[in-house]
Amino acid sequence: MSADLVHRLREPAGAAEGALVLNHGRGADEHDLFGLLDALDPERRLLAVTTGAPLTDVPPGGRHWYLVERVGYPEPRTFASSYGLLTGFVDELLAERGIGWERTVIGGFSMGSVMSYAVALGRGRPSPAAVLAFSGFIPTVEGWAPALEGREGLPVVIHHGRQDPVISVEFGRSARDLLTGAGLAVDYIESDAGHWLPPEVVPRAVAVVAAVTSAESERA
C-alpha cells in the first residue's frame, strides 16, 4: 500500500460485511487494542485492523500520533502528518477490499480517540458507520476543524471516566454537547473509571457496531 502504516489485520470469518478500525493511545502500539476486536465483533463479520502511530522517538517510549504541548491541543505539524497517514492508509485499505466508509466503524482510546474523531469528522471526509471515542477529545488544532453539517444521525459512543487524571472528563462532556447539538446520535457513558476502558462499556459499543454494520449489510 502506498499510504502504509504499521498495523495488524484480523480477517473476517467469511465475506466482510464491513470494517472496524481501532487506533491506540499514547505510548502504546498496534497490539494494544487487538484483543478488543473480537470483543466488539465476536462473530468476525468485519475486516478489522489496529493501527500503529508513526512517532516512535517520543518519551517515554511506545508509539505516538502527535506531540503533546497542551491537552486538547495537538501540536499542528505532527498531527497533520499522522492525520494524512491514517486517512490515506484506511482509505486505501477500504478501497482495496471494496468496503465503503458507510460500513466502517472507527474508534480508539485516548490519542487514538482523538485521531478517530479527526478522521470521522474532518472537512471533506466521508462519514463512517459509527465512531467509538474512549477517553479522548475532539481536537483543537490549526488546519483541522470538525465539519458536522450533514452528519446528523451518525452514531457516536463516548466513554469518559470522572476520575481520569490524564484527560479531564470535561473533554468528554464537551464532545457530547457539541455532537448532540449538531444532531449526531451520541451514546454518552460516564463512569467512575480513570484513564481506562471499563468492561461495562463494551456491550454498548458492541450493540452499535452490530447495528450499523447489520443495517448496511441488509441494504446491500
Side-chain angles (χ1 to χ4, degrees):
M1 301 176 68
S2 60
D4 203 10
L5 198 69
V6 171
H7 63 280
R8 288 186 68 184
L9 277 178
R10 192 213 64 174
E11 295 289 345
E17 297 178 26
L20 173 62
V21 181
L22 293 182
N23 305 301
H24 66 79
R26 181 183 185 187
D29 59 24
E30 68 279 8
H31 306 293
D32 186 55
L33 298 180
F34 194 79
L36 189 58
L37 297 175
D38 279 349
L40 295 176
D41 177 34
E43 296 180 1
R44 289 180 167 247
R45 295 186 299 109
L46 309 177
L47 172 69
V49 58
T50 52
T51 60
L55 301 178
T56 58
D57 56 352
V58 181
R63 292 183 173 274
H64 300 247
W65 290 103
Y66 52 82
L67 297 180
V68 176
E69 297 179 333
R70 175 185 169 197
V71 175
Y73 301 81
E75 189 278 319
R77 183 185 60 82
T78 49
F79 173 87
S81 177
S82 289
Y83 178 69
L85 286 170
L86 182 57
T87 54
F89 168 74
V90 181
D91 285 350
E92 192 169 337
L93 175 64
L94 296 179
E96 284 183 354
R97 297 300 188 100
I99 301 170
W101 269 103
E102 74 281 356
R103 292 192 291 135
T104 298
V105 177
I106 187 168
F109 177 77
S110 191
M111 258 191 185
S113 175
V114 176
M115 298 307 298
S116 299
Y117 273 136
V119 172
L121 305 178
R123 191 170 304 281
R125 294 293 308 161
S127 286
V131 181
L132 308 177
F134 305 135
S135 304
F137 54 81
I138 297 174
T140 299
V141 58
E142 179 183 348
W144 183 93
L148 302 180
E149 186 176 352
R151 301 189 195 276
E152 295 84 0
L154 172 63
V156 182
V157 179
I158 300 174
H159 169 264
H160 219 109
R162 283 184 288 272
Q163 309 302 319
D164 193 328
V166 179
I167 299 175
S168 167
V169 69
E170 296 301 329
F171 285 104
R173 295 169 182 170
S174 294
R176 173 200 62 194
D177 294 345
L178 176 65
L179 299 182
T180 300
L184 282 70
V186 177
D187 181 10
Y188 179 74
I189 309 158
E190 193 172 294
S191 74
D192 288 325
H195 197 60
W196 64 78
L197 180 65
E200 61 265 28
V201 176
V202 174
R204 303 267 282 270
V206 169
V208 169
V209 171
V212 295
T213 52
S214 294
E216 289 300 334
S217 177
E218 290 169 5
R219 286 195 287 266

